[in-house]
Amino acid sequence: MESTLRIALIYPDLLGTYGDRGNALVLAHRARARGITAEVIEVDARSSIPESCDIYLLGGGEDAAQVAAAEGLMLAKATIERSIEAGSAIFAVCAGFQLLGNSYAAADGSELQGIALLDMVTTAGSDRIIGEVVIEPAQASGLPLLTGFENHGGRTLLGPGEAPLGRVIAGRGNGNGVDGVLRDGVIGTYLHGPALARNPALADYLISYTTRISLEPLTDDLVEQYRAERLAYASLTGANLKRATRRLHRG
Amino acid sequence: MSRARSQAAITVGRLAGWASRITGRGAGTQVGGRIMLAIDPGLLTKLGSQDRVICVSATNGKTTTTRLIADILRAAEIDVVTNHTGANMASGVTGALAAPHKPSVAVLEVDERWLTHVVDPLSPELLVFGNLSRDQLDRSGEVNAIVKRWRTITEADPTRHVIANSSDPHVVYASLPARVTWVALGIPWIHDATTCPQCSELLTWSDEGFKCSACTFCEPKADYRLDGEYFIAGERRIHLDLSIPGTWNLMNAALAATVAEAHFEIPAEVAIKAMSTVEVVSGRFSKHRLDDGREARVILAKNPAGWTEVLNWLNGRDAGVVVAVNAHIADGRDTSWLYDVNFEALQGLSVVASGERALDVAVRLRYAGVECIVETDPLKAALAAGGKEVDIIASYTQFTHLTKRFW
Ligand SMILES: [Zn+2]
């Protein structure tokens, strides 16, 4: 890695519907708190996606915006692949997450091409999924429970070679019991909030993946209090949360 | 349907409205209107034929603009009937028009999602279109869907007069088929309008305004224009001397002045004089005395565009700030929008995060580099805030709750 952590916010004017800029803020904040200088590069829809950024962020967007974003991403596919090869990370939410797959559903239900970075397809669901979500990540990831808010119509099916970000214990996620995708430094998810503001551990995961630095722990009481409130809220309906926490801690 | 049925509908509805009012449950027009429509679904069409109807719609500012237009007309000695705040769907409009009154100009605020339901039966002579931006995503769906619905209205009757904000691409696309008077209000919020409503390609902005990179869609030449605090009508440059604060109210006033001059032939100078004394619109900019003697101003902000406007206005005031946010359906259940708003503008001020979602606010402020304390009760929060006076900015349900507690 170069001396500065370069965070690329991709198409904030198209893929910024869910406060997605917040994810860049959190990454920069938590890097700087560890003495790592960080720079946020905003790549608007009229610019080409730069090579050799450390973390690429893709957010949510409305239908027309998602199609416009797909065109730009398609052109930059080789750039993105080379960057991943070189150790960059990608964090993609909602519409941005769907675009990384083989195909996604347009507003009218027709099938559109994604950039096929990941083996997955997104189809249109019969209803819109809206509400608080809690995800239990795979133990090997070292991540704690993840909290977020989801608002999407898509159902995402992962191919046999892909692993989800985690199991859904509240909410719906991909629509089949799991949420998102996790392949090394590439993370996709339906969680916004923004997700990194609610789950700083996820931000740290991305930073240490791409910098290969094992980060000093950084606990923020305010953020912990916020997480506890959101997790408690989402699990009002059951004891799932306690069980999941125990499972994660056993690991 | 018979006259008798319409009359019965109105009588029963008024009774229910009266019952709702005296039991303290509400202003009554909404409840009354709902019952009237249930008894006689065709009632709105009949009511609409009794008055000259104009409908005002927008994501932000429709309540204030409606109030300003009504005040201008009253000052010009025109009889006016208008709907109460919040009663801006078919039921509220019905309730307002069914109240006893002599033939008047009905100045109606209409929810942007309900416009077709109100315009079809009422057939208004004028539509006033302010702006369209993202509002409470999880409730209202996409802006583009609303734009399409508005467009079907203007396509259905191209002879109808529309007064529209030429700076907003969504509004322009929706208005184009009609007979339009354009007023350039300037658009501080372009986040939701980066693709062309006509062909979905990217829009570009320059000094001449917006323009599609692929098709012919572009910003129309304006007939009237807002320039800072001035309303520009041809060679005339008239100062907008208002008692209500902020850039957003200058935009509302410029829109109302255009309505006065271009539709009612009331000179803008006269209209602006009539607006200058309006201080409070439905509690929106009201001032209240706190227990410690300081003055608190309560400001409603409903969506990222509205918050951005309010925060820019706060900048440079010597006041403490309470940011009070809930996440009920009317506020938007998803609080992600907090990161679309430039809370960085509050750096250096005395700020309290408040409301049921005070922690969401506090975490957002942390990343904006704004020091704050957390107090969920907005009145206690106001007392805890520093400054010679306090501005309480509130999301919708916090705002309605607060104004009830103050009165
Ligand atoms: Zn176009």
Side-chain angles (χ1 to χ4, degrees):
Chain A
M1 179 202 150
E2 293 169 37
S3 54
T4 299
L5 183 76
R6 284 157 52 91
I7 302 157
L9 187 58
I10 304 300
Y11 305 155
D13 42 356
L14 296 173
L15 301 176
T17 304
Y18 298 121
D20 300 282
R21 184 183 303 274
N23 287 325
L25 279 183
V26 176
L27 285 169
H29 182 94
R30 293 190 70 85
R32 286 173 193 144
R34 270 62 166 255
I36 302 168
T37 54
E39 179 192 3
V40 177
I41 299 147
E42 297 201 10
V43 183
D44 71 31
R46 285 153 209 88
S47 314
S48 54
I49 295 176
E51 193 145 357
S52 77
C53 285
D54 300 294
I55 302 173
Y56 293 85
L57 297 174
L58 299 166
E62 294 193 1
D63 292 315
Q66 187 179 20
V67 173
E71 285 170 26
L73 284 173
M74 210 69 97
L75 293 174
K77 187 183 173 183
T79 308
I80 296 169
E81 278 172 338
R82 276 196 304 275
S83 301
I84 292 173
E85 197 68 28
S88 301
I90 295 187
F91 184 67
V93 179
C94 215
F97 163 48
Q98 295 175 355
L99 288 176
L100 299 184
N102 302 318
S103 67
Y104 66 99
D108 60 5
S110 63
E111 186 185 306
L112 295 173
Q113 295 300 303
I115 69 163
L117 193 68
L118 298 164
D119 179 22
M120 61 183 206
V121 294
T122 299
T123 52
S126 55
D127 61 335
R128 203 165 172 87
I129 299 173
I130 302 170
E132 291 280 332
V133 207
V134 178
I135 304 300
E136 180 190 354
Q139 264 189 22
S141 69
L143 292 166
L145 289 179
L146 305 175
T147 149
F149 192 95
E150 60 182 334
N151 181 353
H152 57 101
R155 307 290 189 270
T156 300
L157 192 64
L158 302 179
E162 305 289 0
L165 175 59
R167 220 164 57 84
V168 171
I169 55 176
R172 311 261 299 273
N174 293 0
N176 43 28
V178 297
D179 175 75
V181 71
L182 172 61
R183 187 208 277 176
D184 303 323
V186 181
I187 296 179
T189 180
Y190 277 111
L191 267 58
H192 38 98
L196 301 188
R198 287 192 181 202
N199 308 285
L202 209 45
D204 288 358
Y205 176 99
L206 294 164
I207 298 169
S208 47
Y209 175 86
T210 191
T211 62
R212 298 186 177 141
I213 297 171
S214 92
L215 299 173
E216 293 289 316
L218 175 66
T219 317
D220 183 326
D221 290 340
L222 177 67
V223 177
E224 287 311 312
Q225 201 187 338
Y226 175 45
R227 282 177 55 73
E229 179 200 89
R230 289 294 94 211
L231 288 169
Y233 178 85
S235 66
L236 283 178
T237 48
N240 289 342
L241 192 62
K242 254 185 213 146
R243 255 178 282 148
T245 311
R246 268 205 303 276
R247 270 197 302 273
L248 280 176
H249 282 220
R250 226 180 292 138
Chain B
M1 189 66 57
S2 69
R3 278 178 73 94
R5 169 170 284 225
S6 300
Q7 202 44 58
I10 291 174
T11 308
V12 175
R14 276 192 197 144
L15 211 57
W18 170 78
S20 163
R21 260 191 312 278
I22 60 161
T23 54
R25 256 176 277 157
T29 36
Q30 194 114 310
V31 177
R34 208 175 299 139
I35 291 169
M36 292 177 202
L37 282 179
I39 297 174
D40 181 2
L43 184 60
L44 208 46
T45 310
K46 285 167 213 155
L47 290 172
S49 62
Q50 298 171 3
D51 300 300
R52 293 178 65 185
V53 178
I54 76 172
C55 293
V56 181
S57 198
T59 305
N60 284 314
K62 53 188 172 289
T63 303
T64 305
T65 306
T66 302
R67 164 73 189 275
L68 294 175
I69 295 170
D71 280 16
I72 294 167
L73 298 183
R74 284 194 190 107
E77 295 181 345
I78 296 171
D79 289 318
V80 171
V81 55
T82 185
N83 50 343
H84 291 277
T85 314
N88 61 6
M89 297 182 235
S91 56
V93 167
T94 306
L97 292 179
H101 65 277
K102 51 185 166 183
S104 305
V105 174
V107 186
L108 302 172
E109 170 196 340
V110 183
D111 184 283
E112 61 276 25
R113 293 161 293 247
W114 275 81
L115 199 63
T116 42
H117 302 273
V118 172
V119 167
D120 289 348
L122 284 182
S123 191
E125 64 179 43
L126 172 68
L127 298 173
V128 182
F129 290 161
N131 53 72
L132 277 175
S133 74
R134 198 144 49 78
D135 189 21
Q136 303 147 9
L137 271 176
D138 53 351
R139 187 179 70 169
S140 56
E142 302 187 352
V143 176
N144 292 337
I146 296 174
V147 175
K148 285 200 187 99
R149 256 178 281 151
W150 282 23
R151 173 105 177 181
T152 59
I153 295 173
T154 53
E155 277 169 349
D157 182 3
T159 64
R160 181 180 284 135
H161 192 195
V162 172
I163 291 178
N165 175 7
S166 63
S167 311
D168 184 323
H170 290 131
V171 166
V172 169
Y173 181 71
S175 310
L176 273 174
R179 187 166 62 83
V180 192
T181 302
W182 299 108
V183 50
L185 300 177
I187 183 161
W189 183 260
I190 59 165
H191 268 66
D192 301 318
T194 44
T195 53
C196 172
Q198 190 156 282
C199 74
S200 297
E201 287 299 319
L202 297 175
L203 289 180
T204 56
W205 261 265
S206 69
D207 290 345
E208 280 90 58
F210 59 82
K211 188 171 156 310
C212 176
S213 54
C215 75
T216 56
F217 184 73
C218 64
E219 184 165 330
K221 199 175 159 322
D223 306 291
Y224 297 89
R225 173 162 83 76
L226 174 68
D227 179 14
E229 292 188 356
Y230 289 85
F231 181 69
I232 314 294
E235 299 293 299
R236 291 141 61 220
R237 196 177 157 81
I238 312 153
H239 186 241
L240 285 160
D241 184 17
L242 303 178
S243 309
I244 45 178
T247 319
W248 70 97
N249 279 324
L250 290 167
M251 297 165 92
N252 296 334
L255 188 54
T258 307
V259 170
E261 184 157 313
H263 193 78
F264 291 99
E265 293 172 358
I266 300 168
E269 290 82 352
V270 176
I272 287 164
K273 191 151 189 303
M275 289 188 277
S276 65
T277 50
V278 176
E279 280 187 342
V280 177
V281 178
S282 314
R284 255 152 232 248
F285 316 106
S286 58
K287 290 176 181 166
H288 305 276
R289 192 64 61 186
L290 293 174
D291 287 346
D292 63 8
R294 286 182 302 163
E295 205 163 63
R297 197 194 300 239
V298 185
I299 304 156
L300 168 68
K302 288 191 299 183
N303 43 48
W307 278 91
T308 299
E309 285 294 311
V310 173
L311 293 182
N312 289 342
W313 169 72
L314 288 182
N315 212 341
R317 281 165 56 79
D318 177 24
V321 180
V322 174
V323 178
V325 172
N326 281 359
H328 298 282
I329 288 172
D331 305 286
R333 287 167 56 204
D334 183 0
T335 56
S336 299
W337 61 265
L338 287 168
Y339 290 81
D340 284 331
V341 175
N342 62 328
F343 282 101
E344 286 77 3
L346 297 181
Q347 282 170 8
L349 297 179
S350 167
V351 183
V352 186
S354 189
E356 290 169 12
R357 300 301 288 269
L359 287 174
D360 291 72
V361 174
V363 169
R364 168 65 186 106
L365 291 173
R366 153 106 8 131
Y367 290 116
V370 177
E371 294 281 331
C372 73
I373 52 178
V374 178
E375 167 54 62
T376 50
D377 182 321
L379 284 189
K380 288 185 190 153
L383 292 171
K388 280 207 269 271
E389 50 188 344
V390 182
D391 292 317
I392 305 174
I393 321 168
S395 70
Y396 189 79
T397 63
Q398 271 293 335
F399 175 82
T400 48
H401 189 62
L402 252 178
T403 45
K404 274 188 201 130
R405 282 173 75 185
F406 272 125
W407 286 330

